[in-house]
Amino acid sequence: MDHLKSRKLKNLVAMTLATLCAAAGLALLFVILYDVLVEGLGALKLRLFTQDPAPPNLADAGGLRGAFLGQGLLTLVAAAVGVPAGVMGGTFLAEYGRNSRICRLISALSDMAVSIPSIVIGAFAYAVLVKPMGGFNGWAGAAALAIIILPIILRTTEEMLNIVPWELREAAFALGAPQHKVIIGIVWRSAKSGLFTGALLAIARVAGETAPLLFTSFNSNFFKLNLSEAVPSITVSIYQYAASPYESWTEMAWAAAFVVTVFVLLLNLVGRAALKFKKVG
Amino acid sequence: MEDLLEVKNLSFFYGADQALKDVTLPIRKNSITSLIGPSGCGKTTLLRCFNRMHDLYPKNRYAGEILMAGRNILSDGVDVLKLRNAMGMVFQKPTPFPMSVFDNVAYGLRLKSVRNMSALREKVEKALRQAAVWDEVKDRLHRNAAGLSGGQQQRLVIARTLAVEPKVILFDESTSALDPISAKKIEELMAELKKEVTIVAVTHNMQQAARISDYTALMYLGSLVEFDETGVIFTKPKHKMTEDYVTGRFG
Amino acid sequence: MTSGQTKNLIFKIVAGMAAASVLAIVAAMAATLYVQSRPALTRFGFVNFLTSTSWNYGQEVFGAARPLFGTFASALLALIVAVPAALGIAVFLTEICPSKLRGVIAAALELLAAIPSIIYGMWGLFILAPALEKFVQPLVGETLGRLPLIGSFFQTKLAGGVNLFTASMILAIMIVPFISGIAREAMAQVPPMLKESSYALGATRWETVRRVVVPYVKTALAGGIVMAMGRALGETMAVAYVIGNRHAPLESIFSPYVTITSVMANEFNEAGGLQLSALFSLAFFLFAANFLALTLAKRLLGGKKWTI
């Protein structure tokens, strides 16, 4: 029966192709990680973390210690603003504003804001925080990152609180607790591992961002962590070093890329593990 | 009456768990055989052996035989696609595919490479008439099947099964999700259909088994307790357990 | 009012302000981008700006046609490659993969989406671009390049591996895990009974996927694809590295070209006056395109959240 044979052959071809797609996807992940690992580890030297940038013609000198700290500072400031604001906003949507039209609009708008290209956010921060101030500054960079974090955390919080059963709140209300105490003591507590994961993933996302910093905090070769001036950034340094014609700089870019990748992936893994752990336990 | 299928010493394993133990029973041609028993007794597992639905999932294993015209349909040489074409199946809930009424019924025919539109139309109409749903859907053949009522959907699914002209139709509690009136229509349809096909039906509903089937098999913990004509099973069963079960003192 | 009620009111107001800040930020962003775009848009005229291909620093004449075309062309080319691959992955994960491996493989692919784009950019510049130039470009040139009329569009004109094609391939790699994640989630929602109904009629796995599963998930799939497209449009660092940022007519898919994001990343900091305003106009278009894509995607996904 030829028709049946051709159907089976088609099935075999399609399923083989699907398997190959998955194999290719996994292979790409390994190739990218492998390349970053080999190139990065090969170029990784202690001075990357202990020294300041040096001219490319100096052998065995130069590091990016300020850039790591600067990036960390920007991320921390952004998280310190974006995470609490996002949690509060999401809490409002889930606890006070269910079914209100304006809250649904904010929720939809946040989904949209999550995917605004980060370079557009950088341009916005440039227009409102760099141009009027007269120069690149760390506040603008941190603000751009915070604008990225805010809607992510807001939506995660809303989703996480929405799955907390309503009866739990009613039980607490029945004991005479005011709503903010119910939210803080009962609702947040039952959603805490989800909120933690959301925060970690949001921080992981901005920790490796480059585009929103390009026109805001930019980069600096000096070991100075002053938010009213340009702040050294590891991702912007990678961008500049990798595009440079000097081998010593591209090597350092690989080493820095390795560190950033490991850090971001670790944050992701920890965040996901925290959620899994909660589900099982 | 001649036997269309013969289940012989059939055992079935989900991995290490044995779900059927040495089941032997005949399926008579142009009759309705009901499989009854408490939840987890293996009646659905047995039903899914007939069209080898278990092959879809890993680690499932058959032992024993189901003979059809002298050939064991569980053997490796049997073409599962062809087998399933000959063994229609209707599920607990209506399962209309996300496409038009017409395309639903034509689905199996198109798999068999029936491309000629007038032949398709003819066969689709015939199947829908056979399933007693033609009058209700003839004006909406090209609209999505999801718009039909639950009872209509289930009869559509039966039409879809009938379109490929199977020898056997397996019903897996096919009226359990329907309202009583729709369920009654399906029952009447089954009685009508047995003139042309052989029916094996799993049911939870003892009255239904008594009403519609010619033969009844009671299963318990993966084993066949008793198989006989329905009248015998419900009036003078040989086993005490059967008597307890059909009178509702058990399960 | 008791102190409990007062505190609750304060809490509620603070939370409400936090929620409203999203509204304020998005509105401020739209307004700011518009205001900053105005000098260029009024100087060149909206339609003229959209359709003009000039990008002349000396005479201060700027048009958006090339960056716009580059942005959409690279995203489209990326989708052409990424969508079939992502569907293949989703089919593998839902239909073929043993359930024990499924979670691990899905998580690994999601990690692919978590790698920062600057890393993709570097990898693209140093590893992928040379590899494509060495192995893929000659192959395409020998085959599609021989075609009459459109053949020259597939021939290598400038060496270097930094071009529109490489940018599209990097984008494809970046959006594959995104689309496959949404497709996999949607396919997992298909009731097993529905698939079994297809198997029970003697269908193969492929026939069941093509005729039952895909129609069942098609709107969610379309939503995922539009969302991925939004991502590809706005991706900056990976593209900025490998597209070449060359304001010149596109002679071949292997020519260096520009996208909105590559122009912004490369020129924003040195720009002033009309050029800066033109760059803001590009940012405004990107913002608007993304807004439309997301609105459409949300409608297709039916209000459900499908983020990774």
Side-chain angles (χ1 to χ4, degrees):
Chain A
M1 194 169 171
D2 276 65
H3 176 59
L4 194 63
K5 255 188 203 154
S6 86
R7 283 174 56 201
K8 284 183 178 167
L9 187 68
K10 260 187 212 159
N11 182 55
L12 187 71
V13 170
M15 293 299 130
T16 310
L17 282 177
T19 310
L20 286 177
C21 284
L26 287 180
L28 266 175
L29 175 71
F30 283 116
V31 167
I32 292 172
L33 290 182
Y34 175 83
D35 287 338
V36 172
L37 187 86
V38 168
E39 303 276 351
L41 270 185
L44 194 62
K45 311 237 163 56
L46 187 63
R47 63 181 158 84
L48 182 70
F49 305 103
T50 58
Q51 294 187 14
D52 288 324
N57 53 348
L58 284 182
D60 282 325
L64 290 166
R65 62 173 181 157
F68 283 108
L69 286 178
Q71 189 98 19
L73 179 69
L74 293 175
T75 307
L76 271 183
V77 172
V81 177
V83 173
V87 169
M88 286 303 275
T91 302
F92 186 83
L93 300 188
E95 302 297 318
Y96 295 102
R98 276 194 202 192
N99 304 323
S100 106
R101 283 185 74 178
I102 182 96
C103 286
R104 274 207 300 271
L105 175 72
I106 291 175
S107 185
L109 212 56
S110 304
D111 270 346
M112 193 241 127
V114 168
S115 55
I116 295 175
S118 56
I119 194 155
V120 173
I121 294 176
F124 168 61
Y126 173 86
V128 292
L129 289 170
V130 174
K131 230 179 175 183
M133 307 277 200
F136 297 124
N137 64 83
W139 296 112
L145 296 183
I147 292 174
I148 297 175
I149 291 181
L150 173 71
I152 303 178
I153 297 282
L154 185 137
R155 288 290 287 128
T156 321
T157 304
E158 190 191 357
E159 299 265 319
M160 290 297 159
L161 300 193
N162 274 339
I163 53 177
V164 175
W166 197 253
E167 296 74 29
L168 211 60
R169 297 175 178 86
E170 287 183 343
F173 283 132
L175 294 170
Q179 192 166 4
H180 71 283
K181 282 205 170 149
V182 175
I183 290 168
I184 296 167
I186 309 293
V187 182
W188 281 357
R189 187 170 299 182
S190 7
K192 68 170 185 269
S193 69
L195 297 180
F196 176 72
T197 298
L200 273 191
L201 293 186
I203 292 170
R205 175 159 165 207
V206 297
E209 276 287 2
T210 316
L213 304 180
L214 282 178
F215 336 131
T216 53
S217 53
F218 193 53
N219 197 7
S220 163
N221 282 333
F222 304 106
F223 185 73
K224 257 202 303 197
L225 299 176
N226 183 348
L227 286 177
S228 47
E229 296 171 20
V231 173
S233 149
I234 195 67
T235 51
V236 179
S237 299
I238 293 174
Y239 181 52
Q240 292 169 339
Y241 278 33
S244 79
Y246 313 111
E247 199 172 323
S248 63
W249 276 13
T250 47
E251 273 183 14
M252 205 176 303
W254 274 115
F258 168 74
V259 176
V260 169
T261 307
V262 168
F263 179 72
V264 168
L265 291 188
L266 270 184
L267 273 188
N268 264 279
L269 289 175
V270 170
R272 282 163 207 273
L275 204 60
K276 286 253 165 60
F277 185 70
K278 171 69 194 261
K279 268 184 195 156
V280 175
Chain B
M1 215 180 257
E2 83 181 276
D3 293 347
L4 183 73
L5 293 161
E6 217 183 326
V7 181
K8 268 174 112 176
N9 306 107
L10 178 67
S11 292
F12 179 79
F13 304 84
Y14 291 111
D17 299 330
Q18 185 163 8
L20 290 179
K21 292 172 192 158
D22 205 26
V23 173
T24 299
L25 85 159
I27 302 292
R28 305 255 146 88
K29 200 174 174 187
N30 294 103
S31 69
I32 300 180
T33 304
S34 282
L35 306 178
I36 62 170
S39 304
C41 69
K43 54 192 190 295
T44 296
T45 304
L46 173 58
L47 192 77
R48 290 161 69 92
C49 289
F50 289 113
N51 64 349
R52 292 186 50 178
M53 220 44 163
H54 298 299
D55 288 26
L56 290 173
Y57 307 99
K59 290 189 181 162
N60 291 343
R61 193 161 61 78
Y62 311 90
E65 300 179 314
I66 298 177
L67 297 174
M68 186 177 196
R71 188 158 183 230
N72 179 15
I73 62 171
L74 300 178
S75 71
D76 289 338
V78 168
D79 189 298
V80 180
L81 301 188
K82 268 203 247 172
L83 173 73
R84 291 195 187 131
N85 223 295
M87 301 268 181
M89 188 171 216
V90 181
F91 293 79
Q92 278 120 306
K93 287 185 195 147
T95 52
F97 296 146
M99 52 185 83
S100 72
V101 171
F102 185 90
D103 289 341
N104 259 281
V105 183
Y107 185 88
L109 296 167
R110 285 185 171 138
L111 291 182
K112 287 167 88 176
S113 201
V114 181
R115 292 271 181 273
N116 181 320
M117 204 53 198
S118 66
L120 270 179
R121 251 188 235 123
E122 192 181 305
K123 282 173 190 259
V124 166
E125 178 175 342
K126 186 177 162 223
L128 286 167
R129 280 189 192 281
Q130 248 183 314
V133 69
W134 171 252
D135 290 332
E136 290 155 75
V137 300
K138 65 173 185 244
D139 299 323
R140 47 190 303 175
L141 287 176
H142 297 287
R143 271 189 267 163
N144 197 305
L148 301 177
S149 76
Q152 288 170 337
Q153 286 183 1
Q154 196 64 307
R155 279 176 284 144
L156 171 71
V157 169
I158 294 173
R160 185 172 72 194
T161 307
L162 286 169
V164 293
E165 294 167 5
K167 292 195 177 77
V168 180
I169 301 184
L170 311 164
F171 285 84
D172 187 3
E173 295 183 38
S174 305
T175 60
S176 61
L178 301 179
D179 62 275
I181 295 172
S182 301
K184 188 161 169 280
K185 278 191 188 157
I186 303 279
E187 282 184 19
E188 288 164 5
L189 180 57
M190 289 165 82
E192 190 65 29
L193 286 177
K194 75 173 180 185
K195 290 174 195 158
E196 285 162 54
V197 296
T198 303
I199 291 175
V200 185
V202 162
T203 177
H204 260 317
N205 180 331
M206 226 103 56
Q207 283 80 25
Q208 185 178 62
R211 269 197 308 272
I212 63 169
S213 53
D214 306 294
Y215 299 91
T216 298
L218 173 70
M219 298 191 60
Y220 183 64
L221 293 178
S223 300
L224 179 71
V225 178
E226 189 168 351
F227 169 82
D228 216 319
E229 287 179 17
T230 300
V232 178
I233 292 281
F234 281 89
T235 53
K236 36 186 194 303
K238 295 183 193 69
H239 292 265
K240 176 83 169 67
M241 188 192 266
T242 311
E243 191 183 331
D244 288 350
Y245 189 76
V246 299
T247 51
R249 268 175 289 177
F250 171 98
Chain C
M1 223 195 243
T2 65
S3 83
Q5 277 171 320
T6 317
K7 279 187 192 152
N8 181 42
L9 190 67
I10 295 169
F11 186 87
K12 187 175 171 178
I13 289 170
V14 172
M17 280 164 54
S21 69
V22 172
L23 209 66
I25 288 170
V26 175
M29 201 178 298
T32 306
L33 293 176
Y34 176 71
V35 169
Q36 299 288 337
S37 311
R38 281 211 51 191
L41 291 179
T42 45
R43 171 73 180 74
F44 305 118
F46 184 73
V47 175
N48 188 37
F49 180 71
L50 272 186
T51 52
S52 157
T53 56
S54 53
W55 197 267
N56 191 320
Y57 313 103
Q59 295 175 335
E60 290 223 295
V61 180
F62 302 101
R66 277 203 192 110
L68 273 177
F69 179 76
T71 295
F72 283 97
S74 58
L76 209 65
L77 203 53
L79 284 178
I80 290 172
V81 175
V83 169
L87 284 182
I89 291 174
V91 168
F92 171 79
L93 286 174
T94 49
E95 301 292 329
I96 304 171
C97 183
S99 54
K100 270 185 193 160
L101 280 176
R102 192 176 297 154
V104 182
I105 295 179
L109 289 171
E110 280 177 19
L111 273 193
L112 203 50
I115 298 174
S117 59
I118 181 96
I119 308 296
Y120 277 106
M122 251 192 104
W123 183 78
L125 181 65
F126 288 111
I127 314 271
L128 185 68
L132 290 179
E133 186 186 18
K134 196 168 169 198
F135 301 110
V136 178
Q137 285 180 218
L139 196 75
V140 174
E142 293 291 309
T143 51
L144 293 173
R146 297 268 161 106
L147 291 173
L149 293 173
I150 54 165
S152 85
F153 204 66
F154 297 99
Q155 286 162 1
T156 303
K157 304 272 164 66
L158 276 172
V162 166
N163 53 47
L164 181 73
F165 179 75
T166 305
S168 307
M169 292 309 105
I170 273 283
L171 284 176
I173 293 171
M174 294 177 76
I175 59 178
V176 157
F178 191 74
I179 305 175
S180 71
I182 290 178
R184 186 178 71 90
E185 269 189 59
M187 285 180 182
Q189 311 281 324
V190 178
M193 221 186 267
L194 197 66
K195 289 197 265 177
E196 287 184 353
S197 295
S198 171
Y199 294 126
L201 287 161
T204 61
R205 269 184 207 272
W206 167 239
E207 285 159 349
T208 303
V209 166
R210 216 189 77 155
R211 295 174 201 272
V212 176
V213 175
V214 169
Y216 192 87
V217 301
K218 64 173 183 271
T219 46
L221 260 181
I225 291 169
V226 175
M227 249 170 127
M229 166 124 187
R231 275 208 167 182
L233 294 178
E235 176 49 46
T236 306
M237 299 322 293
V239 173
Y241 267 116
V242 297
I243 189 117
N245 202 53
R246 179 165 172 264
H247 293 278
L250 188 68
E251 294 170 310
S252 146
I253 56 168
F254 300 121
S255 294
Y257 204 56
V258 284
T259 64
I260 292 179
T261 53
S262 83
V263 179
M264 286 183 72
N266 282 296
E267 302 178 16
F268 202 93
N269 279 342
E270 277 116 48
L274 273 178
Q275 191 189 355
L276 188 63
S277 178
L279 290 171
F280 268 109
S281 313
L282 292 179
F284 189 50
F285 294 153
L286 190 56
F287 178 82
N290 213 70
F291 191 97
L292 290 178
L294 255 287
T295 313
L296 179 62
K298 249 183 108 61
R299 191 153 287 183
L300 290 167
L301 288 171
K304 210 171 168 333
K305 197 187 169 221
W306 301 88
T307 51
I308 297 175

